Amino acid sequence: MTATTAPASYGSRAHWDGVHTLLGDRGGARPQAAGALLDHMAAVADRLAGAGGVVMDLGAGQGALARALARPGRLVIASDIAAGPLAVIRTPGVAGLAADAAYPALKPGTLNLVTCLRGLWTLPDPAGVLAVMTGLLAPGGHILVQLWDRPARCRLIGTGAALLGKVLPDLTRPAGEAGPFDIDPDGLAALAAPAGLELIATENGDITADIADAPGYWREFDALAETAAAARLRAPAALQARLDAALPGVLDRVLPRSDGATGWQASIAWHLCTLAPAGSRRQIIPPR
Ligand SMILES: C[S@@+](CC[C@H](N)C(=O)[O-])C[C@H]1O[C@@H](n2cnc3c(N)ncnc32)[C@H](O)[C@@H]1O
């Protein structure tokens, strides 16, 4: 007899530990879209953080952003509810903090910058976490939050999510929980206002990834939609094979063909939103 266990509830430590264990060390080439997003986020964060100071990356996952932000004289705290991925970050100047974002156990007024890349909508109480983070900011500090643009501009993740959602019941989001497209910059400003935060700048970015085949699509998708990726990888091999077989037809219906027509072009677009305590607008450093 085979024992079955219910999947850990979405957002729990067990859920994220399981996702990171499955996806943790997959190696291979850096996906185009996740790489471009990371580079953009790191550039804006680097500018906001200034030369030294303390930066906390909230929901740091495998620590790619935290590592990208490491500089002499700067402390980067990679914080996540899942301890597993933090344990393998071995970069000078980067410290791991395994903690729920709602209870970070840091002294008030210590952070010059908080970053949150692909993380805000995964939190059960994003407004509450923004309030907690505001209390941790040093004078002149900022919070940099990444959000996705609307679904029509994010076909790279929407296409696979729609396909997986039809066959994997685990991917049904509990009622009332935010999804990746449920918070836009106006919504973020509304969530942040009760904490005394203002949205003081938004920078937009986008990329179109060239997809050659089904494995190439999943490589791009998995790096940006980990919960869905983990659900696919947990599915029985026969179902995974059926998904792979169905994917080219789905991509044909939804995505433009690449030049030469051997593959597809999958785009994704994002907003990088800078929040600061109301009244501190003058402290922002203009883009170079
Ligand atoms: C979609 S992943 C993004 C990871 C990383 N920021 C990146 O872009 O690669 C969301 C991350 O948030 C973390 N997370 C989820 N809920 C959390 C919570 N309540 N407190 C802290 N981290 C949390 C997860 O473990 C996961 O690493």
Side-chain angles (χ1 to χ4, degrees):
M1 200 175 91
T2 311
T4 55
T5 48
S9 66
Y10 182 75
S12 65
R13 184 180 304 256
H15 166 80
W16 285 108
D17 277 337
V19 168
H20 288 298
T21 303
L22 253 177
L23 300 178
D25 188 16
R26 306 190 71 209
R30 174 175 119 141
Q32 268 182 278
L37 171 61
L38 175 66
D39 289 348
H40 190 190
M41 183 83 173
V44 176
D46 200 41
R47 192 199 308 145
L48 288 169
V54 184
V55 178
M56 180 160 84
D57 185 33
L58 197 64
Q62 311 288 331
L65 179 60
R67 286 194 297 265
L69 292 175
R71 300 278 180 282
R74 180 188 288 165
L75 171 63
V76 183
I77 301 171
S79 171
D80 203 287
I81 197 168
L86 301 177
V88 294
I89 300 175
R90 306 238 184 280
T91 302
V94 179
L97 173 66
D100 188 319
Y103 310 100
L106 291 174
K107 272 193 1 202
T110 46
L111 302 177
N112 302 97
L113 177 66
V114 176
T115 53
C116 188
L117 173 60
R118 300 188 308 107
L120 195 71
W121 58 86
T122 68
L123 303 171
D125 177 14
V129 168
L130 288 169
V132 170
M133 292 302 131
T134 306
L136 298 180
L137 288 181
H142 297 96
I143 301 176
L144 177 64
V145 176
Q146 179 266 342
L147 303 173
W148 293 127
D149 204 331
R150 60 187 194 280
R153 300 206 65 211
C154 293
R155 300 250 190 253
L156 174 48
I157 47 176
T159 308
L163 175 63
L164 296 179
K166 284 188 190 145
V167 292
L168 300 173
D170 291 9
L171 286 181
T172 308
R173 206 173 325 116
E177 274 188 14
F181 299 112
D182 291 340
I183 306 175
D184 65 6
D186 288 344
L188 174 65
L191 285 174
L197 291 167
E198 279 182 325
L199 176 60
I200 60 169
T202 301
E203 284 192 34
N204 300 320
D206 62 84
I207 183 170
T208 299
D210 293 311
I211 306 293
D213 50 19
Y217 176 80
W218 292 129
R219 198 161 41 248
E220 293 287 333
F221 176 86
D222 290 358
L224 294 172
E226 287 92 337
T227 292
R232 179 176 65 86
L233 294 169
R234 283 193 198 105
L239 180 52
Q240 290 190 41
R242 281 208 336 258
L243 285 164
D244 287 349
L247 184 63
V250 174
L251 297 181
D252 265 343
R253 282 198 294 280
V254 179
L255 302 181
R257 278 286 186 178
S258 309
D259 291 347
T262 53
W264 300 268
Q265 294 192 315
S267 61
I268 189 139
W270 56 83
H271 308 291
L272 303 186
C273 302
T274 303
L275 300 163
S280 63
R281 183 181 292 263
R282 65 189 176 283
Q283 313 236 19
I284 194 165
I285 302 159
R288 282 189 289 252

